[in-house]
Amino acid sequence: MEGDAGSGQLTPTPPLTADEPADPATAFSDHVDDAGIPAPAQPAAAAVDSRLLTGRWPLVVTAGLAAAALLLTVAGVLTLIGHRHNAAAARGEAAAVAAAKDCITATQAPDVKAMADSQRRIVECSTEDFAAQANLYGSLLADAYQTVNAQVKISDMRAAAEKHNPDGSIDVLVATRVAMSNSQQIDQELSYRLRVRMMPDGGNFKIDNIEPVSK
């Protein structure tokens, strides 16, 4: 019986050593997932691109936030400049209107005794270009007061800025109502409107031109 067993059955199969290659089937099974499908290997180029995108993303976000902040800053500065410009324009209009009312009041002297002071005020209210007309107007006004012994009372005066001109002047519309008395009648009401061009001069506004405005 011992001779029938054969040499293959009596000699045990020696174990694999480290120098011997493993069974291909066994090596392959180590890389098979639970479903029995080998896991695909990730390409090296894709891994590099993924790392590059991951590194660039914070830079892109930072640049976008910086650009947005810059735009908001510019918009804020422009808004502030516009607000200051509007405020300055409003202050200029208020000063021009106040000066126009004061100067037109000077042309309405209460009586002959006040004419000297009115003439002085008219000249002070005028620019160099309007000074000659102001002197002529003052002289004519004084003669008219003396001729009819006029007495004038301002009952109402309103003024508003009409237009800003390229040279920096401001056109002001002045509406005035007066009660005039003379040697022939008492408290005659007169109304008139003037367009007064006010020019900035030495920090103040002065009359550069006057023209009547029809109703």
Side-chain angles (χ1 to χ4, degrees), residues 66-146:
L70 179 61
L71 290 176
L72 290 176
T73 301
V74 172
V77 170
L78 292 178
T79 301
L80 180 60
I81 292 175
H83 177 73
R84 289 181 177 177
H85 176 75
N86 292 336
R91 290 193 299 268
E93 287 184 359
V97 169
K101 292 176 68 174
D102 182 60
C103 292
I104 295 302
T105 299
T107 66
Q108 306 297 321
D111 50 37
V112 175
K113 296 179 181 180
M115 279 305 305
D117 184 63
S118 293
Q119 286 179 304
R120 179 182 58 81
R121 287 288 299 123
I122 293 172
V123 173
E124 291 177 351
C125 281
S126 304
T127 63
E128 293 182 0
D129 294 338
F130 191 69
Q133 298 182 47
N135 285 323
L136 177 60
Y137 179 80
S139 299
L140 294 176
L141 191 63
D143 292 341
Y145 268 65
Q146 291 177 354

Side-chain angles (χ1 to χ4, degrees), residues 96-109 152-160 172-179 190-194 196:
V97 169
K101 292 176 68 174
D102 182 60
C103 292
I104 295 302
T105 299
T107 66
Q108 306 297 321
V152 177
K153 295 179 182 180
I154 299 176
S155 57
D156 188 25
M157 178 179 288
R158 300 180 183 182
V172 178
L173 287 179
V174 180
T176 305
R177 180 180 297 137
V178 300
L190 301 173
S191 298
Y192 58 91
R193 298 173 65 193
L194 300 173
V196 186

